[in-house]
Amino acid sequence: MNKKITLMGMSQNELEDYCLSNDFPKFHGDQIFRWLYKNNNQELENVSNIPKKLKEKIKNDCDINLLKIKKKSISKIDKTIKFLFETKDYKFIESVSMIDSDRHTVCISSQIGCNVDCDFCATGKMGIDRNLKVGEIVEQLIEVKKNTNIPITNIVFMGMGEPFLNYRNVIESCKIFTNQKAFNLGTKRITISTAGVLPQIDLFIKEKHKYKLAVSLNAPNDLIRDKIMPINKKWNINKLMLSLKNYNFFRSRVIMFEYVLLNGINDSVENAIELSKLLKNFNCKVNLIPFNQILGNYKRSEDTTINKFAETLKKYNIRVLIRWSKGEDIDAACGQLATKHES
Ligand code: SAH
Ligand code: SF4
């Protein structure tokens, strides 16, 4: 059995404890923390401020990394890069790097697969294998940073998995992302997207996290949502909205509602009007996502329908943005991450 300690994902406190328990001064914990996360986890030999003895100890005691890059696909259309990573237990996850002028957004995974089972999502069709560890979440960012050389400005938990079903590890990784000695990203630069796991939405509000919240609504009523998102049978739109009201009252923060447009299912003008009535009292933005084709029954809405849907929302004073897909030629768009190479 591998008794090695894994450094990736450890907090500064944990690293300080590691130093103390091995008779090294506590402040080396701070140096290891910076080396791991801020300095791109470069070769330990090249780190000048960590004493040689401690470096040797680390080499003997610890595993540093948790992921291996298995494949890097670069889109010919828009330079989006999809990374396929292999975990220590030979599982696969994906992350996507998207560059839009001065914005470099990395879409990361929180689980291997997902069991929320939304009918239109390729990840959902995989089922769940396991939650990702803090280190596996954080290392996705480190690898993308090392391999793109472009500063990362935003993180979205919109890759594989339901982040609120791996709540603690996601929040712990966000603490590392925002730590000044690590990635030093502002809390508003991180968006956590959930299909609507109510107990964790409530907890997120109670714990007063400042990360941006995105909720995948995808339907204006229960009839449609029940059909495409089984989670709605457990926590329906009414319950969801009641919880989200607390978020709104609490600190006038904008909630992002995501809405995948499925041809003939949820994309009519009536659906848009119903949606705007549902959201009229919310401080929110709607992100319309044209459906990205996966195997199954759904089709992408026509561009004219998508634009009409957006116009209708605007007419009813709902802020809206159409998120045209990136990296379509490499299957890197929303809902397409499913580590296809396995089959
Ligand atoms: N599990 C979380 C985050 C990952 S999914 C969630 O559901 O919010 C990220 C986004 O991709 C969600 O808004 C989801 O509705 C959307 N999505 C899933 N499959 C899609 C597809 N095939 N085309 C377009 N968007 C999709
Ligand atoms: Fe899971 Fe999100 Fe896909 Fe639904 S849309 S199956 S919650 S990853």
Side-chain angles (χ1 to χ4, degrees), residues 8 37 40 67 83 85 95-96 104-109 135-148 150 152-156 173 176-178 182-185 190:
M8 189 58 68
Y37 306 120
N40 285 357
L67 300 179
F83 292 84
F85 295 111
S95 319
V96 182
H104 181 188
T105 303
V106 182
C107 175
I108 56 176
S109 295
E136 290 168 326
I137 297 174
V138 172
E139 202 176 327
Q140 294 174 58
L141 211 72
I142 291 178
E143 294 301 331
V144 172
K145 202 169 152 190
K146 275 203 277 195
N147 279 275
T148 55
I150 298 172
I152 293 164
T153 58
N154 296 73
I155 300 175
V156 292
S173 63
I176 296 176
F177 292 143
T178 50
F183 296 89
N184 194 23
L185 280 168
I190 300 176

Side-chain angles (χ1 to χ4, degrees), residues 120-121 157-159 161-163 193-195 216 218 258 260 289-292 334-335:
F120 47 82
C121 172
F157 279 90
M158 294 183 190
E162 166 49 53
S193 173
T194 177
S216 300
N218 298 333
E258 292 165 280
V260 181
I289 316 176
F291 175 61
N292 299 305
C334 262

Side-chain angles (χ1 to χ4, degrees), residues 203-217:
L203 189 62
F204 183 82
I205 296 168
K206 194 169 149 224
E207 291 182 342
K208 305 183 186 175
H209 292 296
K210 292 185 180 151
Y211 315 113
K212 276 192 186 167
L213 184 63
V215 177
S216 300
L217 192 56

Side-chain angles (χ1 to χ4, degrees), residues 318-330:
I318 303 287
R319 280 178 286 173
V320 57
L321 193 119
I322 304 173
R323 201 202 292 157
W324 299 106
S325 305
K326 287 193 171 287
E328 278 178 285
D329 56 331
I330 51 166

Side-chain angles (χ1 to χ4, degrees), residues 121-290:
C121 172
T123 313
K125 297 292 163 210
M126 292 173 68
I128 182 85
D129 194 311
R130 65 168 173 83
N131 280 339
L132 291 183
K133 300 170 187 167
V134 178
E136 290 168 326
I137 297 174
V138 172
E139 202 176 327
Q140 294 174 58
L141 211 72
I142 291 178
E143 294 301 331
V144 172
K145 202 169 152 190
K146 275 203 277 195
N147 279 275
T148 55
N149 276 325
I150 298 172
I152 293 164
T153 58
N154 296 73
I155 300 175
V156 292
F157 279 90
M158 294 183 190
M160 297 166 71
E162 166 49 53
F164 275 1
L165 290 178
N166 186 14
Y167 184 85
R168 277 292 150 223
N169 289 353
V170 164
I171 296 294
E172 281 313 306
S173 63
C174 289
K175 285 184 190 158
I176 296 176
F177 292 143
T178 50
N179 190 312
Q180 284 184 354
K181 296 173 192 170
F183 296 89
N184 194 23
L185 280 168
T187 48
K188 284 187 187 159
R189 303 282 186 154
I190 300 176
T191 302
I192 303 177
S193 173
T194 177
V197 183
L198 218 62
Q200 271 68 36
I201 291 180
D202 291 338
L203 189 62
F204 183 82
I205 296 168
K206 194 169 149 224
E207 291 182 342
K208 305 183 186 175
H209 292 296
K210 292 185 180 151
Y211 315 113
K212 276 192 186 167
L213 184 63
V215 177
S216 300
L217 192 56
N218 298 333
N221 59 50
D222 285 331
L223 203 67
I224 301 175
R225 201 166 190 264
D226 273 349
K227 281 195 193 134
I228 57 177
M229 298 180 74
I231 194 173
N232 197 62
K233 293 185 184 133
K234 196 160 186 183
W235 298 298
N236 65 19
I237 293 182
N238 194 24
K239 288 181 186 159
L240 189 60
M241 294 302 160
L242 272 177
S243 278
L244 292 175
K245 280 241 155 71
N246 292 326
Y247 184 73
N248 256 227
F249 288 140
F250 185 67
R251 75 170 96 85
S252 63
R253 276 188 174 263
V254 180
I255 299 178
M256 193 211 287
F257 287 104
E258 292 165 280
Y259 195 104
V260 181
L261 284 162
L262 305 164
N263 185 22
I265 307 278
N266 63 359
D267 64 347
S268 69
V269 169
E270 292 73 43
N271 296 150
I273 295 171
E274 196 177 0
L275 181 65
S276 38
K277 286 184 181 154
L278 181 69
L279 302 182
K280 75 172 190 289
N281 293 323
F282 278 90
N283 181 14
C284 68
K285 264 189 205 156
V286 173
N287 228 318
L288 294 178
I289 316 176

Side-chain angles (χ1 to χ4, degrees), residues 283-339:
N283 181 14
C284 68
K285 264 189 205 156
V286 173
N287 228 318
L288 294 178
I289 316 176
F291 175 61
N292 299 305
Q293 208 76 31
I294 61 159
L295 287 176
N297 302 326
Y298 300 103
K299 285 208 177 76
R300 188 191 184 105
S301 308
E302 298 289 332
D303 285 1
T304 47
T305 311
I306 297 172
N307 287 321
K308 210 161 155 192
F309 198 96
E311 286 314 313
T312 310
L313 290 182
K314 273 186 209 157
K315 207 168 94 190
Y316 284 83
N317 294 321
I318 303 287
R319 280 178 286 173
V320 57
L321 193 119
I322 304 173
R323 201 202 292 157
W324 299 106
S325 305
K326 287 193 171 287
E328 278 178 285
D329 56 331
I330 51 166
D331 286 345
C334 262
Q336 291 188 320
L337 304 186
T339 54

